[in-house]
Amino acid sequence: KKSHFYRLYVHYLYLFGKLPPKIHYEKRTKEYYQEIDKFNKLADEMSLICTYNLNSKEAVQNLRIKYIEEVTPLKAEREKIRQIYKKTTNETDRSFLEYKLNNLTKDINKINSKIQTCKRIITKAEKGEKEAILIKNRVAENQLNNELEGLKNKDKKRIR
């Protein structure tokens, strides 16, 4: 706790303009949290790309497969422990099994989040490929249109 003297000192500084007034923050909106979530997902994607030096969609797919192969036995083990947990009546055994279940679930959740990150990277890569094809087609169309307009302009100049 802060002393009475400290509070008086702060009040004195506030009264005489030595401290800025307290800032009252407004309630954060739903959009604010959505943007934070987007940023965190993007940071996870960049971290995964940099950590494993991923430079192609295939490399990300291989990493995703590796994670799936890693998580599958953990899920099977968790299911076995759940079955044992349901049958067990001894409280000490149940608490130990519950501890193991919680640890396995944490590990599975970490790997699942990496799998989801890989999925997002793959989706963005595919979207980028489609956009690149569209841009390439538009550039080709624009060049063709420019050439055709150039020929029309030359023909108009000849007629005059």
Side-chain angles (χ1 to χ4, degrees):
K1 286 184 172 183
K2 297 181 180 172
S3 69
H4 179 68
F5 176 74
Y6 178 78
R7 281 189 235 131
L8 285 174
Y9 179 71
V10 170
H11 185 68
Y12 168 78
L13 292 175
Y14 176 72
L15 281 177
F16 292 102
K18 301 292 182 188
L19 288 178
K22 288 185 179 180
I23 299 171
H24 298 285
Y25 292 99
E26 293 183 21
K27 198 174 189 180
R28 294 191 172 124
T29 62
K30 177 178 143 186
E31 290 80 15
Y32 171 83
Y33 290 105
Q34 288 173 341
E35 289 299 315
I36 294 291
D37 188 48
K38 281 182 191 176
F39 176 77
N40 288 335
K41 286 179 180 180
L42 184 63
D44 288 343
E45 292 165 16
M46 295 303 296
S47 173
L48 198 69
I49 289 169
C50 292
T51 302
Y52 293 98
N53 196 20
L54 303 172
N55 50 18
S56 69
K57 187 172 73 170
E58 290 75 25
V60 179
Q61 287 172 336
N62 291 338
L63 182 64
R64 181 175 167 263
I65 290 168
K66 178 185 151 220
Y67 282 136
I68 290 171
E69 290 171 352
E70 195 176 316
V71 79
T72 304
L74 293 176
K75 285 182 176 181
E77 184 180 349
R78 181 175 66 178
E79 194 54 40
K80 286 179 188 175
I81 292 174
R82 275 193 183 138
Q83 296 301 323
I84 295 170
Y85 180 81
K86 288 178 184 177
K87 294 176 185 175
T88 305
T89 56
N90 187 349
E91 281 302 314
T92 56
D93 291 343
R94 285 180 73 89
S95 64
F96 176 73
L97 291 173
E98 189 174 343
Y99 174 77
K100 280 183 88 172
L101 277 173
N102 289 338
N103 284 340
L104 276 173
T105 301
K106 284 180 188 176
D107 294 341
I108 290 170
N109 288 343
K110 285 179 186 175
I111 297 171
N112 278 339
S113 71
K114 290 181 180 180
I115 291 171
Q116 292 302 319
T117 303
C118 288
K119 281 183 183 179
R120 285 194 309 271
I121 293 170
I122 291 168
T123 303
K124 287 182 179 181
E126 289 171 350
K127 187 177 177 183
E129 289 172 354
K130 289 177 185 176
E131 287 179 7
I133 291 170
L134 285 173
I135 290 170
K136 188 177 178 182
N137 290 342
R138 285 183 193 147
V139 167
E141 283 178 24
N142 288 341
Q143 286 176 346
L144 184 62
N145 289 340
N146 289 341
E147 289 174 7
L148 291 176
E149 284 183 28
L151 290 176
K152 288 179 185 177
N153 289 340
K154 284 182 183 178
D155 289 342
K156 287 180 184 178
K157 288 179 183 176
R158 289 183 191 159
I159 295 173
R160 291 184 192 173

